[in-house]
């Protein structure tokens, strides 16, 4: 597989596969011994900030760099390094690379480190072929410079980008189309900056809607009328599903880089507010739910939960809307805090700060929608919060780099209701008990661990009407594994998994053909998968009959360019997973 094709492969989660292919292909003696190729691929994060102009502050103690060299190195850093080392190089999941550290190390040491990598997680940029020797030298000099800071993005900047394309008073007063809105799928077309709205009943594309770049997630308003999508470039698009042809009615940029958006779901506040969180600047903003007008910005900079040290760029990684209170649950990645942001009174905003664990990423609700389970991925933990009581319930140790997406809820034969997560760093699947009333002995513990195909899992999914549990492995270096999914019988987990060759079923001839994100239709009798290849290659969506585990349909269309995440309207609206 072409390494450049692999570079952007997993941007639906803000991840990069910049070195994944190279790691899989290089000789054994140059591969990392202590981390797997999926983990290394996960660390090498790309950022939209690569295209943002920044001021060069000349440090007299650092090696000389021309403005052209500085700009080239800055672009490389934000394309390949910022996701791990941070925008300001103060460290995130990777170590700090600030001048007080790097100047003492010196250029020769840094060139070796960059070229050959380290067992602790630094990719071998030189020997993998991603950077040539001149670029390695450039980056060794760059990390000794004063880190440039991207511009802030406040209320003035947000309002300058805010557009109400169709005002609320000019929108339909009733549904103007014959589509079954509950069974529409919103599919990210990563490299074209679009989403495809697909009729889940007829399998036909309804509309291709222009959005921000590399849409990370789609979320649905409490009423089911409005679809909100957010690109990694922090652009939010609001789509009205009542229109004759559903399309954009409002848009806004809430920063320079982002991942998360959601809407108010508590009774009495349906469709009233939307919220988005940014990677840069580190903050969240509450907006009007019908126009995206920005109303209130909250900063996330602060102290970490463990060492109590100040962190200048703790990113908002995920947001969930509470069903028990007028609150948004906001994950602050680097500080490890879960914020319960109460939107009842925006003028006197009340925020409950719950200490969890560092590197909070994604997560979702248990089956009752009372408890939210959030993965602290690099800490190998799941933090559990009671949304009704507004307090932490437990911190559960799991395996390497849990990556649940929203997770999966089902009834375990022994443990009762459980929530499941797969792992990016191992083949393990952890099942956590979620019923403290009737299954107290198993509640908030890993009640069972099962084995999947291998590391590199990103999404796990089931449905209340399904007897199956699906686990993808798009980051696995073996094409047979990354192009297939593992399926378990929930009532007989010990029987192991069955492998479905999704990429083979797609009929796509060439390309990466990585299979990502199982998603059920509303009825729970179909499971949809993206088969993702490069922008200049054919991709497809594959639909499996959940009862028979047989191929049901393949959707191919030249407009389906780099399809990644997809979200069923009803299941997303009602947090069914």
């Amino acid at each position: 597989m072409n390494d450049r094709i692999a570079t952007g492969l997993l941007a639906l989660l803000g991840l990069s596969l910049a070195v994944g292919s190279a790691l899989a292909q290089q000789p054994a003696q140059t591969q990392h011994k202590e981390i797997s190729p999926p983990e290394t691929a996960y660390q090498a994060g790309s950022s939209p900030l690569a295209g943002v102009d920044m001021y060069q502050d000349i440090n007299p103690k650092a090696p000389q760099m021309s403005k052209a060299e500085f700009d080239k190195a800055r672009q490389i850093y934000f394309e390949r390094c910022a996701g791990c080392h941070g925008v300001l190089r103060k460290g995130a999941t990777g170590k700090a690379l600030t001048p007080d550290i790097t100047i003492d190390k010196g250029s020769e040491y840094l060139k070796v480190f960059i070229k050959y990598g380290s067992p602790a997680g630094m990719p071998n940029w030189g020997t993998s072929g991603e950077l040539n020797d001149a670029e390695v030298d450039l980056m060794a000099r760059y990390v000794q410079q004063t880190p440039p800071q991207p511009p802030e993005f406040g209320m003035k900047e947000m309002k300058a980008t805010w557009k109400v394309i169709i005002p609320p008073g000019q929108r339909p007063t009733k549904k103007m189309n014959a589509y079954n809105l509950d069974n529409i799928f919103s599919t990210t077309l990563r490299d074209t900056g679009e989403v495809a709205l697909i009729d889940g009943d007829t399998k036909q594309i309804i509309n291709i809607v222009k959005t921000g770049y590399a849409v990370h997630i789609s979320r649905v308003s409490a009423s089911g009328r409005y679809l909100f999508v957010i690109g990694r470039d922090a652009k939010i698009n609001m789509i009205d599903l009542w229109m004759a042809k559903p399309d954009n009615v409002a848009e806004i940029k809430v920063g320079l880089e982002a991942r998360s958006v959601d809407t108010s779901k508590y009774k009495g506040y349906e469709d009233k507010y939307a919220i988005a969180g940014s990677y840069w600047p580190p903050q969240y903003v509450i907006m009007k739910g019908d126009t995206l007008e920005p109303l209130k910005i909250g900063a996330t900079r602060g102290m970490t939960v463990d060492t109590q040290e100040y962190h200048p760029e703790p990113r908002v990684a995920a947001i969930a809307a509470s069903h028990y209170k007028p609150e948004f649950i906001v994950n602050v990645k680097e500080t490890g805090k879960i914020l319960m942001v109460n939107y009842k009174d925006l003028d006197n905003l009340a925020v409950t700060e719950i200490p969890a664990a560092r590197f909070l990423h994604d997560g979702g609700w248990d089956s009752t929608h009372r408890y939210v389970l959030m993965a602290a991925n690099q800490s190998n933990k799941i933090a559990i919060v009671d949304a009704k009581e507004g307090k932490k319930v437990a911190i559960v140790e799991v395996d390497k780099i849990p990556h649940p997406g929203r997770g999966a809820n089902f009834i375990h034969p022994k443990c009762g209701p459980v929530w499941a997560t797969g792992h990016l760093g191992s083949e393990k699947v952890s099942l956590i008990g979620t019923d403290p009333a009737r299954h107290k002995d198993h509640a908030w513990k890993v009640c069972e661990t099962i084995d999947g195909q291998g590391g590199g899992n990103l999404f796990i999914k089931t449905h209340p009407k399904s007897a199956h549990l699906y686990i993808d492995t798009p980051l696995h270096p073996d094409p047979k594994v990354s192009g297939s999914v593992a399926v378990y019988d929930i009532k007989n987990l010990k029987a192991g998994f069955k492998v479905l060759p999704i990429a083979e079923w797609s009929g796509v001839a060439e390309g990466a053909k990585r299979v990502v994100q199982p998603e059920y239709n509303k009825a729970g009798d179909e499971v949809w998968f993206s088969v993702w290849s490069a922008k200049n290659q054919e991709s497809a969506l594959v639909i499996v009959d959940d009862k028979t585990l047989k191929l049901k349909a393949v959707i191919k269309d030249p407009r389906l360019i780099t399809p990644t995440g997809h979200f069923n309207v009803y299941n997303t609206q009602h947090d069914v997973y």
Side-chain angles (χ1 to χ4, degrees), residues 271-488:
D271 293 26
K272 185 171 184 178
Y273 296 119
I275 183 174
S278 300
Y279 268 30
W280 187 269
Q283 61 193 29
Y284 58 87
V285 57
I286 299 174
M287 301 158 282
K288 284 187 178 180
D290 59 351
T291 64
L292 296 179
E293 179 184 357
L295 301 173
K296 188 83 170 183
I297 300 173
T300 57
R301 293 178 171 104
M303 316 307 286
T304 61
V305 295
D306 44 13
T307 58
Q308 295 289 293
E309 294 176 284
Y310 178 74
H311 201 292
E313 53 168 305
R315 300 171 286 184
V316 177
I319 299 174
S322 175
H323 301 264
Y324 275 85
K325 293 179 182 178
E327 287 183 335
F328 294 119
I329 293 88
V330 178
N331 277 0
V332 186
K333 192 177 182 83
E334 279 72 27
T335 55
K337 297 174 182 176
I338 296 175
L339 307 181
M340 314 291 281
V341 180
N342 192 299
Y343 50 77
K344 184 177 181 180
D345 182 359
L346 295 188
D347 288 333
N348 300 283
L349 193 68
V351 180
T352 301
E353 182 180 292
I354 298 177
R358 293 187 70 183
F359 312 120
L360 289 164
H361 193 66
D362 209 352
W365 296 101
D366 80 310
S367 58
T368 69
H369 295 161
R370 172 173 175 174
Y371 302 97
V372 67
L373 297 92
M374 296 295 192
N377 52 22
Q378 294 295 332
S379 296
N380 305 327
K381 294 177 173 65
I382 301 293
I384 304 169
V385 170
D386 183 343
K388 182 178 180 181
E389 298 296 330
K391 62 181 182 181
K392 179 172 63 180
V393 173
I395 302 288
V396 180
E397 295 277 350
V398 290
D399 217 83
K400 292 186 70 177
I401 314 182
H403 201 290
R406 304 282 273 192
N409 291 296
F410 61 94
I411 304 299
H412 187 275
K414 181 181 72 173
C415 306
V418 297
W419 179 89
T421 179
H423 297 82
L424 194 142
S426 83
E427 77 283 3
K428 303 298 181 183
V429 179
S430 297
L431 313 181
I432 298 172
T434 60
D435 183 9
R438 293 170 294 177
H439 298 82
K440 186 176 180 180
D441 291 344
H442 300 293
W444 318 134
K445 302 172 185 175
V446 175
C447 76
E448 184 176 355
T449 301
I450 58 178
D451 289 341
Q453 291 198 83
N457 164 246
L458 289 182
F459 295 100
I460 184 169
K461 192 65 68 86
T462 188
H463 188 279
K465 296 181 181 179
S466 174
H468 296 118
L469 178 69
Y470 295 81
I471 300 172
D472 68 15
T473 42
L475 270 181
H476 198 282
D478 185 341
K480 289 184 179 179
V481 178
S482 64
S484 62
V485 295
V487 187
Y488 299 81

Side-chain angles (χ1 to χ4, degrees), residues 109 245 261 281 532:
Y109 171 90
K245 178 183 279 190
V261 67
W532 182 5

Side-chain angles (χ1 to χ4, degrees), residues 171-173 181 220-227 239-242 271:
R171 297 173 195 166
T173 57
L181 299 189
V220 181
S221 66
S223 69
R225 174 174 182 173
Y226 293 112
L227 178 71
I239 300 167
D240 186 354
L241 298 177
W242 280 13
D271 293 26

